[in-house]
Amino acid sequence: MKKSLYILIGTAILSFWLQSCSPDDPPAPEEGPTQLSLEIPDNWPKPNLLAENQLTVEGVALGRKLFYDKMLSGNGTQACADCHNQGAGFTDVQKKFSTGSEGLVGTRNAMPLFNLNWSHGYFWDGRQPTLESLIQEPMEAHNEMNLEIETAVTRLQDDPEYPALFQKAFPGQGITTTTLRFAIAQFLRTIISGGDTKWDQYFAANRLNPEKLMTAQEARGYLAFISEEKGDCFHCHNPLSPLLNNTSDREFANNGLDAQPDSGRIKATGNPNDLGKFKTPSLRNLSFTGPYMHDGRFETLDQVLEHYNSGFKYSATIDAVLIKHADKDNNYAPIPRLTQQDKDDIIAFLKLLDDETMLTNPKWSKP
């Protein structure tokens, strides 16, 4: 009886084992990409994300590798990171204009690449609506990376590593112009600067009067910054905004650089009222991201402040805030209102916004 029972049990186990190993059974499904949540400081507004490009651990890792890969330039000598250096706040190191892979020089100062989730239009004139649409332009520009994006896709398809990485990040989608753009955009969206600077700490502790926590010079600088009689900076660089800029009515502005303005946003909109208007940048990390303005004309923050004090030039689309400080009876010449001490104080305040950890954070460094 026992022998028969053992035979019966053994037969059942063998049958189950054979069935479980049947070649007709479908393979176990592969796990999909791991969703990634952005590390956003408390009380920051909701980021502008693209619903079709959900952030994943695998997508961000792939985008990081692509950001540092010189394969994405025509002659294989330049990566995105060469003109957007982490150690310089993701700008080009102290350069007015960047030099492309073929030695051609650009016409705009390389913009910093942090906190891009809170922008409404990219490049100095805002001509690209999303980060995902932005990626292709510098890759293909002759004075930048000089590589057609379709050629980039072919190179990546032929590479021994990238097909598997794209499969992990975008299962079943392959290496396409879309997945290439989406991967780099995912990485850029993770570069968030702020939340732990001295300014953030002071503002979180005393929102109404953060100057009470500052040094005497920093406090004077902050008060001059928000004073309409002194700096009058807050209209375009709102201290209540985490980015210290204005994303509503002054995200693009003509700040009086020239009496005959550069084209600016009019190239994107065709609206004559946008002549000479350029992106209002964040004031975070200014110690690392010079030179300043869309054409890099100012090497120092003192020069920037002196422009707003005595150097701005009138044109039909100049911002109304500057008109307040102009002599209407003298061809709208600037009326100086800042002393050298005022400028030094404002610069001391602005340095509170520096985030040195961003410059070396390994999660954004070359993999």
Side-chain angles (χ1 to χ4, degrees):
M1 180 69 178
K2 279 187 177 181
K3 185 176 181 180
S4 299
L5 181 60
Y6 290 152
I7 292 173
L8 183 62
I9 293 173
T11 302
I13 292 172
L14 177 62
S15 174
F16 176 79
W17 181 79
L18 289 172
Q19 288 180 14
S20 67
C21 296
S22 171
D24 295 331
D25 287 349
E30 292 185 10
E31 292 186 5
T34 307
Q35 295 296 307
L36 178 70
S37 297
L38 289 174
E39 298 176 13
I40 300 173
D42 293 339
N43 302 317
W44 280 38
K46 185 178 179 180
N48 303 318
L49 302 178
L50 190 68
E52 309 93 275
N53 190 20
Q54 295 293 312
L55 301 185
T56 66
V57 172
E58 295 80 2
V60 170
L62 173 59
R64 178 184 171 195
K65 180 175 173 64
L66 290 165
F67 183 80
Y68 284 95
D69 199 330
K70 297 180 186 294
M71 183 194 301
L72 297 186
S73 61
N75 59 12
T77 63
Q78 190 171 63
C80 304
D82 288 316
C83 295
H84 296 282
N85 186 298
Q86 182 181 8
F90 290 98
T91 63
D92 208 348
V93 184
Q94 294 296 313
K95 291 181 181 177
K96 289 180 62 174
F97 304 121
S98 301
T99 301
S101 62
E102 300 290 343
L104 301 177
V105 179
T107 60
R108 291 285 184 263
N109 184 252
M111 301 188 77
L113 298 183
F114 54 82
N115 297 341
L116 297 178
N117 296 307
W118 292 272
S119 189
H120 303 85
Y122 299 90
F123 294 113
W124 281 104
D125 56 11
R127 63 185 178 272
Q128 290 293 349
T130 68
L131 268 177
E132 287 73 8
S133 66
L134 171 152
I135 302 300
Q136 184 170 344
E137 193 169 330
M139 190 182 300
E140 295 189 331
H142 296 307
N143 60 358
E144 296 190 53
M145 299 173 79
N146 194 36
L147 180 68
E148 293 294 326
I149 194 168
E150 290 81 5
T151 304
V153 166
T154 301
R155 288 184 181 182
L156 294 168
Q157 290 170 340
D158 293 340
D159 184 82
E161 292 184 72
Y162 276 113
L165 296 176
F166 272 88
Q167 175 60 21
K168 288 181 179 180
F170 303 100
Q173 297 182 53
I175 303 177
T176 68
T177 58
T178 297
T179 54
L180 169 55
R181 291 185 293 106
F182 277 25
I184 298 175
Q186 284 195 35
F187 170 64
L188 293 180
R189 291 190 182 281
T190 67
I191 304 175
I192 297 174
S193 176
D196 198 36
T197 67
K198 289 182 179 180
W199 162 253
D200 293 299
Q201 295 171 25
Y202 297 160
F203 190 69
N206 192 337
R207 186 180 177 91
L208 294 178
N209 299 108
E211 72 277 5
K212 293 185 179 299
L213 302 173
M214 302 176 189
T215 68
Q217 183 176 35
E218 293 164 352
R220 291 195 307 268
Y222 171 70
L223 294 175
F225 183 92
I226 63 174
S227 166
E228 293 200 71
E229 290 71 36
K230 288 285 188 179
D232 206 10
C233 311
F234 67 94
H235 299 281
C236 295
H237 299 285
N238 182 2
L240 298 180
S241 162
L243 311 181
L244 270 84
N245 64 2
N246 187 330
T247 57
S248 55
D249 60 328
R250 284 190 171 88
E251 187 162 10
F252 298 90
N254 178 350
N255 62 345
L257 290 173
D258 299 293
Q260 300 294 323
D262 194 342
S263 56
R265 187 151 171 75
I266 192 174
K267 289 186 69 174
T269 66
N271 185 344
N273 292 324
D274 286 334
L275 178 65
K277 292 184 179 180
F278 290 91
K279 186 85 168 175
T280 302
S282 169
L283 295 188
R284 289 187 178 274
N285 301 310
L286 291 177
S287 293
F288 322 128
T289 56
Y292 309 99
M293 306 298 164
H294 70 275
D295 56 7
R297 68 177 63 189
F298 299 131
E299 295 183 0
T300 67
L301 292 175
D302 186 89
Q303 291 172 345
V304 172
L305 290 172
E306 192 53 42
H307 162 73
Y308 290 116
N309 185 45
S310 66
F312 62 84
K313 298 174 178 63
Y314 176 81
S315 66
T317 59
I318 192 171
D319 194 273
V321 172
L322 294 177
I323 294 293
K324 290 193 314 182
H325 303 290
D327 185 349
K328 300 176 182 60
D329 297 324
N330 185 24
N331 297 316
Y332 291 92
I335 302 173
R337 60 200 187 280
L338 295 175
T339 66
Q340 186 60 50
Q341 184 65 61
D342 291 329
K343 292 188 293 178
D344 292 344
D345 293 345
I346 293 174
I347 292 170
F349 158 65
L350 292 174
K351 288 183 177 180
L352 296 176
L353 288 137
D354 288 344
D355 177 12
E356 293 190 4
T357 63
M358 178 189 66
L359 307 182
T360 56
N361 192 318
K363 66 182 177 182
W364 301 319
S365 300
K366 184 175 181 178

